[in-house]
Amino acid sequence: LGDENLAMEVGSIYFNNASSGTFTFEIPLPAGYFVQAMPRESGDESASVNLFVKSVDSTATNVVIGASAPFTGHVDILVVKVG
């Protein structure tokens, strides 16, 4: 979603007793984008972890999200590029 001044992508990845997961962009994003990752609480799945950007693909096609501990659950991702 976007134009020359704004690009945004929203999605989720599933962690299965993992401490990292990869989110692949639908369309490669130019440099200077921001990523927010949020663990989702649901049922038996514990979302008591800290999430961080572990690495960014140099071709801007994906981002690896790391977790402070292995867990099982969904992580919601928001990627925004302004300007």
Side-chain angles (χ1 to χ4, degrees):
L1 171 67
D3 59 23
E4 64 274 1
N5 296 311
L6 173 69
M8 181 169 49
E9 187 161 345
V10 178
S12 68
I13 52 179
Y14 187 74
F15 281 56
N16 186 10
N17 196 30
S19 57
S20 68
T22 302
F23 179 74
T24 302
F25 306 141
E26 288 184 26
I27 298 172
L29 294 176
Y33 57 87
F34 297 93
V35 177
Q36 183 174 20
M38 301 142 290
R40 187 188 314 165
E41 285 278 350
S42 63
D44 297 343
E45 299 171 348
S46 173
S48 297
V49 295
N50 292 314
L51 299 172
F52 55 92
V53 174
K54 190 170 183 179
S55 67
V56 177
D57 185 318
S58 62
T59 61
T61 58
N62 66 54
V63 61
V64 178
I65 303 298
S68 57
F71 83 107
T72 298
H74 286 90
V75 173
D76 295 315
I77 307 290
L78 172 63
V79 183
V80 178
K81 167 72 172 139
V82 178

